Every structure is written in C-alpha cells, then in structure tokens.
Amino acid sequence: MNAPKAVDHPGSVVSVRGSVVDIHFPSCLPAVHHALQAGNEHPVIIEVVAHQSADTVRGIALTPTQGLFRGAPALDTGQPLRVPVGRRLLGRMLNVFGTAIDGGDPFQGGEWRSIHQAPLPLARRSAKMEMFETGIKAIDLLSPLERGGKAGMFGGAGVGKTVVIAELIHNMAGRYRGVSLFCGIGERCREAEETYREMRDSGVLDRAVLVFGQMNEAPGARFRVGHAALTIAEYFRDVEKQDVLLLIDNIFRFIQAGTEVSGLMGRIPSRVGYQPTLATELAELEERIASSLTGAITSVQAVYVPADDFTDPSASHTFAHLSASVVLSRKRAAQGFYPAIDPLASNSKMLNPAVVGERHCRIAQAVRRTLAEYEELKDIIAMLGLEELSEMDRRTVNRARRLERFLTQPFFATEQFTGQAGRWVSLDDTLEGCERILGDAYFDVPETALYMIGPIGEARRDDATNGE
C-alpha cells in the first residue's frame, strides 16, 4: 500500500478478536472508513467500520493480524483506503491497497483515489438504452448486453467462462478502443496466475487492468476489492471518457466476504445466515456501475448459485441488479459447441422490440422456439429414430441442428491453441444467418459446413461432400 503519512492522533490497540480490532484514541476519533495502521514491524492495515464509544473505534483488519497485541501502537492515516488511477495501470495487476502484485515496478506518485465514491448522480447518467455489441453470435442474438448495464454469467469450472471473458476483453479493445478491467474477488492464486498469463499470451493485456483480492486474504480485503476496481473503472469513464468493460469473478464471493465481516462484527444474521445488510452492501457496489453521457461501465459478472437454489438471498438480490443472464452449459461444452452458451436458459431485458428492433426479436424468438422443439423431440429420436418423425418435425430438427452449429464461432482468444483464426461477427450478419437457416436456405448444406464459422457466407466454402 502507498501508505499516506499518519496524522498526529496516536492510539493503542484494546483488543484483537480474529480480524476485529478495537482501538482506543484518547484525543481525536478517526472517521468511519478511515485506514489505520497498527503494530510496529509489519503494520496491520485496518479499516474503521464503527465507533464503539467516545474514544474507541472498531475496525476490520485487511491484512493478517498475526503478531498484533493489546497495547500495540496505532496511527490514523487521516483518509480512506486509496488506489492508483490512470493509464499507467494498463497491463498491470494489483491488489486492494494499490500494490503491484505482478512483479513489476511499484506504483509511486501520480493520482490516487479513495475506494469509497458516491454513485454517478442521476442527472449525469445516460437514460438511453443501448445494446453493447460483443461480436459473439450467441450472446448478441439471444442475451444482448446493455451498454452501462450488468450481465450475469453462470457456469461451473471448465465450461469456458475464462475464454469468453478473454474474448470480451479482446473485442472491447479492438472494437470500442475501450478499457477492460478484471476484478477477481476471492480468486484462487492459481486462477489469478492463469488469467494473467492467458491475457498476456492472447495479446489483450495492454488494454486491461487486473485487480485481485485472493482467497487466502482477510475477508475485509476481499470485501473491498470490488470497490477498488470500480474506482479505477470510474476514472477511465469520467476522466478518460472511455467505455469500460468490468468483469467480476465472482460476485457471490463478495457477498460471502460481507457475511464473514458481518459475523466478525457480531451482527445478528438474517435469513440463511447472510448479513442483515446484504441488500445495501450489494447495491453500494452495483449502483456505481452506470453509463454517463461520455462513457459507460458495462459489467459482466460471474454468479455462483448455491446448491442451484435461485431463491437463495444471494442469488435473488443479485438478479435484481442484472439486465442480462448468460448461462454456460457443461452439456453443450461436452458436445463441442463453443462458446457453450445455453440458448434456452440465457435471456436479457434488452430483447425488446423498442430497444433492439422488431426483426431481432422475431428472429431470436424463432431460434429459441426451434431449439426448444428440437429439445422435446430428442427423446423420440433416441427411441424411434429420425425416420419416425413427421415431415414438419424433421424440418425442425434440420433447422435446429444447423442453428446450433452456426451459433458456434472461433475466438481470437483461442487462436494460439486451435490454429483457427478468430471471428468478430456483427449483429446484422448473425441475424441474416439465422434468418436464412430458419427459411431453409441451408437445408441441403452439411451441418459441418456451419460449424465454427463467422458470418453465414463462409458456410458455402466447405466441401459439400462432407456427410452429416
């Protein structure tokens, strides 16, 4: 941490209970959210969360409290936690204190901002609903993202979540000339290292900033890393006037860290053991994600649903903030359909004729209906075979299988692994391709000709002798 000079208000530690530290200040009490330093050799960074009495504050330690003892000296830094901001962060990886954790040069001087900022005032927000085009066919067609909105990405390990994130970062840098900010909340050290390495190898790191609060860190640090990332994102939006793509992995771990902090503070838990302030704390983070008249912060958040229970308070409160849901399916990944987006489970509030247009809505509904009918027919096909279906049902199966393959595409982020050049597919090309497949224009074209291509025009290049 780029520690500011401590102000002349010394105190002493009264008690240490895990990450909860009570500190006595005889002369002047630090304000809530102020950062304190306690201890001698390796100062423990503590954030004030409550005033216990006229001369005692209670804080949550953001670093390990090992070695801290009663009577240890404590100093008020006179300001909240701060992080560096600006273009110097591009291509770098840092933690909640603004300390570089990528082995590069430390951040010295320049502008530093408090991680606690007010949301953008309503008068400065853009009320216009705009679609954020990603260049990924399955997302743009069935669950279009909102510029300045929040999208949830649901998926377990190994279904391609990190690859989709890397592709979004690549497309953001190339198409919008914007900045991507990856925020890892409660990430494993292995995941952080892999994410950094994959971004570097795929050439998107120089337009990205990575902020991590890792799994082995104190709950207070994990709880505040999202606020630190948002402070950096707000600088690019408001000062640099750029669009920012904010990727959060995982929003559930932010709630989990808040639950730990609340329990340490001795608050009475709410339903299912969550903190009573769950809705407020989540809103404090989510409401800072917005678009202004000059730039936007668009967020894609990985969401873990405990025990697949969508009525869980963490899930239901998160859903209230999301404008789109992108569901990654292990079943589709096993079939080789990448990106493994489930077309029936994914949805978006942007899929509205007033926002995306009548044609887009009509084609998306037709694609979803065709795939749903195919899903119902799969059991009959497995038992009796395709020949037992009616002519109409056979046509539905034909369209659905071609749509499934057309909605796959090669990614720029995986070029080095697959040897296949990535494709950016515009929304118009995606709509045209689906419309032509639905109109049976590709009825006789082999399914393989539609697999892992960009626009529909590339399908005719494949050898029509390939069997289905």
Side-chain angles (χ1 to χ4, degrees), residues 364-404:
Q365 287 170 358
V367 167
R368 197 167 272 154
R369 183 168 58 249
T370 302
L371 294 172
E373 287 173 6
Y374 176 45
E375 203 64 35
E376 292 173 2
L377 292 168
K378 277 182 178 177
D379 288 341
I380 299 173
I381 296 168
M383 289 186 292
L384 304 175
L386 191 64
E387 295 75 20
E388 297 301 316
L389 297 179
S390 66
E391 179 64 27
M392 187 180 294
D393 285 345
R394 280 205 293 272
R395 284 194 172 272
T396 298
V397 171
N398 181 289
R399 292 178 198 132
R401 290 178 65 86
R402 281 156 180 75
L403 283 169
E404 281 183 333

Side-chain angles (χ1 to χ4, degrees), residues 141-181:
L141 175 70
L142 298 169
S143 54
L145 308 188
E146 179 185 5
R147 182 174 177 269
K150 296 165 275 276
M153 188 182 294
F154 305 83
V159 294
K161 204 164 50 194
T162 305
V163 175
V164 174
I165 283 172
E167 186 71 3
L168 287 170
I169 290 172
H170 178 280
N171 292 351
M172 180 68 173
R175 177 81 170 185
Y176 292 93
R177 303 305 302 162
V179 172
S180 301
L181 207 151

Side-chain angles (χ1 to χ4, degrees), residues 327-388:
V327 180
L328 296 174
S329 159
R330 191 172 303 282
K331 181 180 173 185
R332 293 184 67 79
Q335 292 173 313
F337 296 141
Y338 290 104
I341 293 166
D342 189 330
L344 301 180
S346 303
N347 59 70
S348 170
K349 74 169 189 180
M350 297 293 288
L351 211 53
N352 182 316
V355 180
V356 297
E358 190 73 44
R359 179 174 177 242
H360 186 163
C361 271
R362 175 172 47 78
I363 293 171
Q365 287 170 358
V367 167
R368 197 167 272 154
R369 183 168 58 249
T370 302
L371 294 172
E373 287 173 6
Y374 176 45
E375 203 64 35
E376 292 173 2
L377 292 168
K378 277 182 178 177
D379 288 341
I380 299 173
I381 296 168
M383 289 186 292
L384 304 175
L386 191 64
E387 295 75 20
E388 297 301 316

Side-chain angles (χ1 to χ4, degrees), residues 1 18-21 23 33-38 42-49 59-66 68 77 79-83 95-98 115-116 212-225 227-228 257 261 264:
M1 178 182 176
S19 292
V20 178
V21 183
I23 302 173
H33 293 326
H34 268 204
L36 313 177
Q37 295 178 17
H42 303 287
V44 177
I45 308 300
I46 299 166
E47 185 179 58
V48 178
V49 292
I60 289 289
L62 306 183
T63 53
T65 54
Q66 189 176 359
L68 197 61
T77 63
Q79 56 195 12
L81 282 174
R82 300 186 309 155
V83 289
N95 63 13
V96 69
F97 306 114
I115 67 170
H116 299 284
F212 285 103
Q214 294 175 31
M215 192 174 274
N216 61 321
E217 293 184 32
R222 286 182 272 125
F223 188 55
R224 288 299 182 212
V225 70
H227 298 271
V261 170
L264 290 166

